PDB file of all heavy atoms in Angstrom:
ATOM      1  N   LEU A  60     -14.674  -4.775 -22.423  1.00  0.00           N
ATOM      2  CA  LEU A  60     -14.383  -4.559 -21.045  1.00  0.00           C
ATOM      3  C   LEU A  60     -14.500  -3.077 -20.645  1.00  0.00           C
ATOM      4  O   LEU A  60     -14.088  -2.229 -21.376  1.00  0.00           O
ATOM      5  CB  LEU A  60     -12.935  -5.001 -20.728  1.00  0.00           C
ATOM      6  CG  LEU A  60     -12.649  -6.550 -20.877  1.00  0.00           C
ATOM      7  CD1 LEU A  60     -11.170  -6.871 -20.688  1.00  0.00           C
ATOM      8  CD2 LEU A  60     -13.529  -7.377 -19.888  1.00  0.00           C
ATOM      9  N   VAL A  61     -15.042  -2.838 -19.446  1.00  0.00           N
ATOM     10  CA  VAL A  61     -15.043  -1.515 -18.873  1.00  0.00           C
ATOM     11  C   VAL A  61     -13.987  -1.464 -17.814  1.00  0.00           C
ATOM     12  O   VAL A  61     -13.801  -2.476 -17.039  1.00  0.00           O
ATOM     13  CB  VAL A  61     -16.426  -1.210 -18.267  1.00  0.00           C
ATOM     14  CG1 VAL A  61     -16.890  -2.133 -17.229  1.00  0.00           C
ATOM     15  CG2 VAL A  61     -16.442   0.214 -17.743  1.00  0.00           C
ATOM     16  N   TYR A  62     -13.275  -0.422 -17.757  1.00  0.00           N
ATOM     17  CA  TYR A  62     -12.102  -0.215 -16.819  1.00  0.00           C
ATOM     18  C   TYR A  62     -12.385   0.888 -15.900  1.00  0.00           C
ATOM     19  O   TYR A  62     -12.767   2.004 -16.356  1.00  0.00           O
ATOM     20  CB  TYR A  62     -10.791   0.012 -17.570  1.00  0.00           C
ATOM     21  CG  TYR A  62     -10.450  -1.075 -18.669  1.00  0.00           C
ATOM     22  CD1 TYR A  62     -10.924  -0.956 -19.930  1.00  0.00           C
ATOM     23  CD2 TYR A  62      -9.671  -2.142 -18.294  1.00  0.00           C
ATOM     24  CE1 TYR A  62     -10.553  -1.866 -20.841  1.00  0.00           C
ATOM     25  CE2 TYR A  62      -9.362  -3.126 -19.248  1.00  0.00           C
ATOM     26  CZ  TYR A  62      -9.847  -2.984 -20.541  1.00  0.00           C
ATOM     27  OH  TYR A  62      -9.508  -3.967 -21.461  1.00  0.00           O
ATOM     28  N   TYR A  63     -11.969   0.771 -14.612  1.00  0.00           N
ATOM     29  CA  TYR A  63     -12.139   1.870 -13.679  1.00  0.00           C
ATOM     30  C   TYR A  63     -11.322   1.556 -12.415  1.00  0.00           C
ATOM     31  O   TYR A  63     -10.805   0.443 -12.249  1.00  0.00           O
ATOM     32  CB  TYR A  63     -13.651   2.054 -13.257  1.00  0.00           C
ATOM     33  CG  TYR A  63     -14.186   0.868 -12.506  1.00  0.00           C
ATOM     34  CD1 TYR A  63     -14.287   0.964 -11.114  1.00  0.00           C
ATOM     35  CD2 TYR A  63     -14.599  -0.292 -13.155  1.00  0.00           C
ATOM     36  CE1 TYR A  63     -14.801  -0.102 -10.407  1.00  0.00           C
ATOM     37  CE2 TYR A  63     -15.076  -1.303 -12.422  1.00  0.00           C
ATOM     38  CZ  TYR A  63     -15.185  -1.230 -11.071  1.00  0.00           C
ATOM     39  OH  TYR A  63     -15.625  -2.314 -10.332  1.00  0.00           O
ATOM     40  N   GLY A  64     -11.188   2.488 -11.530  1.00  0.00           N
ATOM     41  CA  GLY A  64     -10.468   2.333 -10.290  1.00  0.00           C
ATOM     42  C   GLY A  64     -11.341   2.503  -9.096  1.00  0.00           C
ATOM     43  O   GLY A  64     -12.328   3.248  -9.081  1.00  0.00           O
ATOM     44  N   THR A  65     -10.962   1.832  -7.982  1.00  0.00           N
ATOM     45  CA  THR A  65     -11.705   1.998  -6.715  1.00  0.00           C
ATOM     46  C   THR A  65     -10.911   2.835  -5.698  1.00  0.00           C
ATOM     47  O   THR A  65      -9.705   2.949  -5.783  1.00  0.00           O
ATOM     48  CB  THR A  65     -12.028   0.602  -6.053  1.00  0.00           C
ATOM     49  OG1 THR A  65     -10.747  -0.054  -5.766  1.00  0.00           O
ATOM     50  CG2 THR A  65     -12.766  -0.286  -7.075  1.00  0.00           C
ATOM     51  N   GLY A  66     -11.633   3.411  -4.815  1.00  0.00           N
ATOM     52  CA  GLY A  66     -11.051   4.380  -3.804  1.00  0.00           C
ATOM     53  C   GLY A  66     -10.475   3.774  -2.579  1.00  0.00           C
ATOM     54  O   GLY A  66     -10.304   2.572  -2.479  1.00  0.00           O
ATOM     55  N   ASN A  67     -10.193   4.629  -1.612  1.00  0.00           N
ATOM     56  CA  ASN A  67      -9.528   4.274  -0.376  1.00  0.00           C
ATOM     57  C   ASN A  67     -10.425   3.391   0.452  1.00  0.00           C
ATOM     58  O   ASN A  67     -11.662   3.501   0.441  1.00  0.00           O
ATOM     59  CB  ASN A  67      -9.128   5.504   0.408  1.00  0.00           C
ATOM     60  CG  ASN A  67     -10.285   6.423   0.762  1.00  0.00           C
ATOM     61  OD1 ASN A  67     -10.856   7.025  -0.118  1.00  0.00           O
ATOM     62  ND2 ASN A  67     -10.758   6.418   2.020  1.00  0.00           N
ATOM     63  N   PRO A  68      -9.802   2.596   1.322  1.00  0.00           N
ATOM     64  CA  PRO A  68     -10.566   1.826   2.358  1.00  0.00           C
ATOM     65  C   PRO A  68     -11.026   2.789   3.466  1.00  0.00           C
ATOM     66  O   PRO A  68     -10.385   3.835   3.706  1.00  0.00           O
ATOM     67  CB  PRO A  68      -9.571   0.823   2.909  1.00  0.00           C
ATOM     68  CG  PRO A  68      -8.276   1.337   2.632  1.00  0.00           C
ATOM     69  CD  PRO A  68      -8.355   2.205   1.366  1.00  0.00           C
ATOM     70  N   SER A  69     -12.120   2.423   4.159  1.00  0.00           N
ATOM     71  CA  SER A  69     -12.551   3.219   5.316  1.00  0.00           C
ATOM     72  C   SER A  69     -12.102   2.405   6.586  1.00  0.00           C
ATOM     73  O   SER A  69     -12.307   1.240   6.671  1.00  0.00           O
ATOM     74  CB  SER A  69     -14.054   3.369   5.249  1.00  0.00           C
ATOM     75  OG  SER A  69     -14.509   4.047   4.100  1.00  0.00           O
ATOM     76  N   THR A  70     -11.585   3.150   7.552  1.00  0.00           N
ATOM     77  CA  THR A  70     -11.387   4.543   7.777  1.00  0.00           C
ATOM     78  C   THR A  70      -9.943   4.867   7.321  1.00  0.00           C
ATOM     79  O   THR A  70      -9.158   4.079   6.949  1.00  0.00           O
ATOM     80  CB  THR A  70     -11.567   4.841   9.297  1.00  0.00           C
ATOM     81  OG1 THR A  70     -10.512   5.603   9.880  1.00  0.00           O
ATOM     82  CG2 THR A  70     -11.568   3.631  10.134  1.00  0.00           C
ATOM     83  N   TRP A  71      -9.596   6.201   7.492  1.00  0.00           N
ATOM     84  CA  TRP A  71      -8.256   6.627   7.217  1.00  0.00           C
ATOM     85  C   TRP A  71      -7.264   6.130   8.243  1.00  0.00           C
ATOM     86  O   TRP A  71      -6.043   6.280   8.121  1.00  0.00           O
ATOM     87  CB  TRP A  71      -8.176   8.153   7.087  1.00  0.00           C
ATOM     88  CG  TRP A  71      -8.834   8.767   5.904  1.00  0.00           C
ATOM     89  CD1 TRP A  71      -9.684   8.133   5.031  1.00  0.00           C
ATOM     90  CD2 TRP A  71      -8.654  10.120   5.438  1.00  0.00           C
ATOM     91  NE1 TRP A  71     -10.078   9.022   4.018  1.00  0.00           N
ATOM     92  CE2 TRP A  71      -9.455  10.256   4.276  1.00  0.00           C
ATOM     93  CE3 TRP A  71      -8.005  11.215   5.872  1.00  0.00           C
ATOM     94  CZ2 TRP A  71      -9.604  11.381   3.597  1.00  0.00           C
ATOM     95  CZ3 TRP A  71      -8.110  12.437   5.231  1.00  0.00           C
ATOM     96  CH2 TRP A  71      -8.909  12.499   4.049  1.00  0.00           C
ATOM     97  N   ASN A  72      -7.803   5.664   9.375  1.00  0.00           N
ATOM     98  CA  ASN A  72      -6.932   5.138  10.456  1.00  0.00           C
ATOM     99  C   ASN A  72      -6.626   3.665  10.108  1.00  0.00           C
ATOM    100  O   ASN A  72      -7.472   2.800  10.396  1.00  0.00           O
ATOM    101  CB  ASN A  72      -7.521   5.263  11.815  1.00  0.00           C
ATOM    102  CG  ASN A  72      -6.712   4.677  12.931  1.00  0.00           C
ATOM    103  OD1 ASN A  72      -5.569   4.294  12.746  1.00  0.00           O
ATOM    104  ND2 ASN A  72      -7.330   4.605  14.117  1.00  0.00           N
ATOM    105  N   PRO A  73      -5.456   3.288   9.677  1.00  0.00           N
ATOM    106  CA  PRO A  73      -5.186   1.904   9.210  1.00  0.00           C
ATOM    107  C   PRO A  73      -5.258   0.954  10.349  1.00  0.00           C
ATOM    108  O   PRO A  73      -5.498  -0.263  10.137  1.00  0.00           O
ATOM    109  CB  PRO A  73      -3.821   1.964   8.525  1.00  0.00           C
ATOM    110  CG  PRO A  73      -3.126   3.221   9.101  1.00  0.00           C
ATOM    111  CD  PRO A  73      -4.257   4.176   9.404  1.00  0.00           C
ATOM    112  N   ALA A  74      -4.959   1.373  11.555  1.00  0.00           N
ATOM    113  CA  ALA A  74      -5.007   0.428  12.710  1.00  0.00           C
ATOM    114  C   ALA A  74      -6.369  -0.195  12.873  1.00  0.00           C
ATOM    115  O   ALA A  74      -6.434  -1.343  13.455  1.00  0.00           O
ATOM    116  CB  ALA A  74      -4.582   1.153  14.007  1.00  0.00           C
ATOM    117  N   GLN A  75      -7.423   0.370  12.406  1.00  0.00           N
ATOM    118  CA  GLN A  75      -8.734  -0.224  12.618  1.00  0.00           C
ATOM    119  C   GLN A  75      -9.196  -1.170  11.493  1.00  0.00           C
ATOM    120  O   GLN A  75     -10.212  -1.769  11.595  1.00  0.00           O
ATOM    121  CB  GLN A  75      -9.787   0.961  12.657  1.00  0.00           C
ATOM    122  CG  GLN A  75      -9.671   1.793  13.894  1.00  0.00           C
ATOM    123  CD  GLN A  75     -10.681   2.913  13.996  1.00  0.00           C
ATOM    124  OE1 GLN A  75     -10.375   4.088  14.031  1.00  0.00           O
ATOM    125  NE2 GLN A  75     -11.954   2.555  14.010  1.00  0.00           N
ATOM    126  N   ARG A  76      -8.289  -1.404  10.513  1.00  0.00           N
ATOM    127  CA  ARG A  76      -8.630  -2.359   9.427  1.00  0.00           C
ATOM    128  C   ARG A  76      -7.371  -3.066   8.940  1.00  0.00           C
ATOM    129  O   ARG A  76      -7.002  -2.957   7.751  1.00  0.00           O
ATOM    130  CB  ARG A  76      -9.304  -1.552   8.272  1.00  0.00           C
ATOM    131  CG  ARG A  76      -8.587  -0.232   7.923  1.00  0.00           C
ATOM    132  CD  ARG A  76      -9.125   0.351   6.657  1.00  0.00           C
ATOM    133  NE  ARG A  76      -8.426   1.668   6.395  1.00  0.00           N
ATOM    134  CZ  ARG A  76      -7.178   1.822   5.931  1.00  0.00           C
ATOM    135  NH1 ARG A  76      -6.457   0.717   5.604  1.00  0.00           N
ATOM    136  NH2 ARG A  76      -6.633   3.002   5.736  1.00  0.00           N
ATOM    137  N   PRO A  77      -6.737  -3.832   9.808  1.00  0.00           N
ATOM    138  CA  PRO A  77      -5.539  -4.571   9.355  1.00  0.00           C
ATOM    139  C   PRO A  77      -5.839  -5.491   8.158  1.00  0.00           C
ATOM    140  O   PRO A  77      -6.943  -6.000   7.985  1.00  0.00           O
ATOM    141  CB  PRO A  77      -5.175  -5.367  10.593  1.00  0.00           C
ATOM    142  CG  PRO A  77      -6.409  -5.439  11.455  1.00  0.00           C
ATOM    143  CD  PRO A  77      -7.131  -4.186  11.193  1.00  0.00           C
ATOM    144  N   GLY A  78      -4.806  -5.645   7.310  1.00  0.00           N
ATOM    145  CA  GLY A  78      -4.968  -6.479   6.191  1.00  0.00           C
ATOM    146  C   GLY A  78      -4.788  -5.673   4.852  1.00  0.00           C
ATOM    147  O   GLY A  78      -4.702  -4.443   4.920  1.00  0.00           O
ATOM    148  N   ASP A  79      -4.775  -6.288   3.709  1.00  0.00           N
ATOM    149  CA  ASP A  79      -4.676  -5.640   2.409  1.00  0.00           C
ATOM    150  C   ASP A  79      -5.880  -4.860   1.977  1.00  0.00           C
ATOM    151  O   ASP A  79      -5.831  -4.040   1.096  1.00  0.00           O
ATOM    152  CB  ASP A  79      -4.272  -6.632   1.300  1.00  0.00           C
ATOM    153  CG  ASP A  79      -2.809  -6.977   1.284  1.00  0.00           C
ATOM    154  OD1 ASP A  79      -2.003  -6.396   2.067  1.00  0.00           O
ATOM    155  OD2 ASP A  79      -2.364  -7.814   0.514  1.00  0.00           O
ATOM    156  N   ASN A  80      -7.053  -5.184   2.674  1.00  0.00           N
ATOM    157  CA  ASN A  80      -8.307  -4.465   2.312  1.00  0.00           C
ATOM    158  C   ASN A  80      -8.608  -4.534   0.840  1.00  0.00           C
ATOM    159  O   ASN A  80      -8.976  -3.589   0.201  1.00  0.00           O
ATOM    160  CB  ASN A  80      -8.186  -2.987   2.743  1.00  0.00           C
ATOM    161  CG  ASN A  80      -7.818  -2.809   4.232  1.00  0.00           C
ATOM    162  OD1 ASN A  80      -7.135  -1.891   4.537  1.00  0.00           O
ATOM    163  ND2 ASN A  80      -8.312  -3.639   5.091  1.00  0.00           N
ATOM    164  N   LYS A  81      -8.558  -5.713   0.282  1.00  0.00           N
ATOM    165  CA  LYS A  81      -8.953  -5.974  -1.153  1.00  0.00           C
ATOM    166  C   LYS A  81     -10.415  -5.903  -1.236  1.00  0.00           C
ATOM    167  O   LYS A  81     -11.165  -6.214  -0.375  1.00  0.00           O
ATOM    168  CB  LYS A  81      -8.479  -7.338  -1.628  1.00  0.00           C
ATOM    169  CG  LYS A  81      -6.958  -7.414  -1.825  1.00  0.00           C
ATOM    170  CD  LYS A  81      -6.605  -8.845  -2.336  1.00  0.00           C
ATOM    171  CE  LYS A  81      -5.147  -8.896  -2.870  1.00  0.00           C
ATOM    172  NZ  LYS A  81      -4.067  -8.618  -1.984  1.00  0.00           N
ATOM    173  N   TRP A  82     -10.974  -5.309  -2.410  1.00  0.00           N
ATOM    174  CA  TRP A  82     -10.281  -4.776  -3.512  1.00  0.00           C
ATOM    175  C   TRP A  82     -10.443  -3.271  -3.598  1.00  0.00           C
ATOM    176  O   TRP A  82     -10.946  -2.693  -4.583  1.00  0.00           O
ATOM    177  CB  TRP A  82     -10.679  -5.422  -4.834  1.00  0.00           C
ATOM    178  CG  TRP A  82     -10.309  -6.848  -4.863  1.00  0.00           C
ATOM    179  CD1 TRP A  82     -11.084  -7.927  -4.597  1.00  0.00           C
ATOM    180  CD2 TRP A  82      -8.986  -7.398  -5.246  1.00  0.00           C
ATOM    181  NE1 TRP A  82     -10.339  -9.108  -4.746  1.00  0.00           N
ATOM    182  CE2 TRP A  82      -9.093  -8.830  -5.089  1.00  0.00           C
ATOM    183  CE3 TRP A  82      -7.842  -6.799  -5.589  1.00  0.00           C
ATOM    184  CZ2 TRP A  82      -8.021  -9.657  -5.337  1.00  0.00           C
ATOM    185  CZ3 TRP A  82      -6.715  -7.643  -5.874  1.00  0.00           C
ATOM    186  CH2 TRP A  82      -6.837  -9.074  -5.818  1.00  0.00           C
ATOM    187  N   THR A  83     -10.156  -2.570  -2.514  1.00  0.00           N
ATOM    188  CA  THR A  83     -10.003  -1.112  -2.544  1.00  0.00           C
ATOM    189  C   THR A  83      -8.707  -0.815  -3.298  1.00  0.00           C
ATOM    190  O   THR A  83      -7.861  -1.697  -3.518  1.00  0.00           O
ATOM    191  CB  THR A  83      -9.898  -0.534  -1.099  1.00  0.00           C
ATOM    192  OG1 THR A  83      -8.728  -0.957  -0.502  1.00  0.00           O
ATOM    193  CG2 THR A  83     -11.167  -0.869  -0.292  1.00  0.00           C
ATOM    194  N   MET A  84      -8.579   0.392  -3.814  1.00  0.00           N
ATOM    195  CA  MET A  84      -7.325   0.879  -4.425  1.00  0.00           C
ATOM    196  C   MET A  84      -6.923   0.014  -5.566  1.00  0.00           C
ATOM    197  O   MET A  84      -5.792  -0.336  -5.767  1.00  0.00           O
ATOM    198  CB  MET A  84      -6.181   0.870  -3.412  1.00  0.00           C
ATOM    199  CG  MET A  84      -6.520   1.612  -2.085  1.00  0.00           C
ATOM    200  SD  MET A  84      -6.970   3.325  -2.328  1.00  0.00           S
ATOM    201  CE  MET A  84      -5.486   3.987  -3.073  1.00  0.00           C
ATOM    202  N   THR A  85      -7.940  -0.397  -6.379  1.00  0.00           N
ATOM    203  CA  THR A  85      -7.739  -1.452  -7.359  1.00  0.00           C
ATOM    204  C   THR A  85      -8.214  -1.006  -8.743  1.00  0.00           C
ATOM    205  O   THR A  85      -9.235  -0.341  -8.894  1.00  0.00           O
ATOM    206  CB  THR A  85      -8.509  -2.698  -6.891  1.00  0.00           C
ATOM    207  OG1 THR A  85      -7.993  -3.210  -5.727  1.00  0.00           O
ATOM    208  CG2 THR A  85      -8.563  -3.778  -7.948  1.00  0.00           C
ATOM    209  N   ILE A  86      -7.498  -1.445  -9.780  1.00  0.00           N
ATOM    210  CA  ILE A  86      -8.001  -1.363 -11.158  1.00  0.00           C
ATOM    211  C   ILE A  86      -8.780  -2.588 -11.478  1.00  0.00           C
ATOM    212  O   ILE A  86      -8.376  -3.720 -11.317  1.00  0.00           O
ATOM    213  CB  ILE A  86      -6.830  -1.255 -12.136  1.00  0.00           C
ATOM    214  CG1 ILE A  86      -5.926  -0.029 -11.857  1.00  0.00           C
ATOM    215  CG2 ILE A  86      -7.352  -1.214 -13.601  1.00  0.00           C
ATOM    216  CD1 ILE A  86      -4.649   0.046 -12.693  1.00  0.00           C
ATOM    217  N   PHE A  87     -10.029  -2.399 -11.903  1.00  0.00           N
ATOM    218  CA  PHE A  87     -11.012  -3.437 -12.308  1.00  0.00           C
ATOM    219  C   PHE A  87     -11.183  -3.443 -13.838  1.00  0.00           C
ATOM    220  O   PHE A  87     -11.268  -2.309 -14.402  1.00  0.00           O
ATOM    221  CB  PHE A  87     -12.346  -3.252 -11.678  1.00  0.00           C
ATOM    222  CG  PHE A  87     -12.516  -3.923 -10.295  1.00  0.00           C
ATOM    223  CD1 PHE A  87     -12.145  -3.258  -9.197  1.00  0.00           C
ATOM    224  CD2 PHE A  87     -13.129  -5.130 -10.210  1.00  0.00           C
ATOM    225  CE1 PHE A  87     -12.372  -3.810  -7.928  1.00  0.00           C
ATOM    226  CE2 PHE A  87     -13.357  -5.747  -8.999  1.00  0.00           C
ATOM    227  CZ  PHE A  87     -12.965  -5.074  -7.831  1.00  0.00           C
TER     228      PHE A  87
END
């Protein structure tokens, strides 16, 4: 297994992307 993390969702304004925004901010 290879392990790594993913970055932030786009945009930094959360109002424009309601929801958990999977799988940003995630360990894979």
Side-chain angles (χ1 to χ4, degrees):
L60 295 175
V61 58
Y62 304 91
Y63 68 99
T65 62
N67 59 287
S69 301
T70 131
W71 288 14
N72 177 8
Q75 291 182 241
R76 45 170 177 79
D79 276 358
N80 306 144
K81 289 181 166 59
W82 294 97
T83 64
M84 310 301 298
T85 293
I86 301 172
F87 270 85

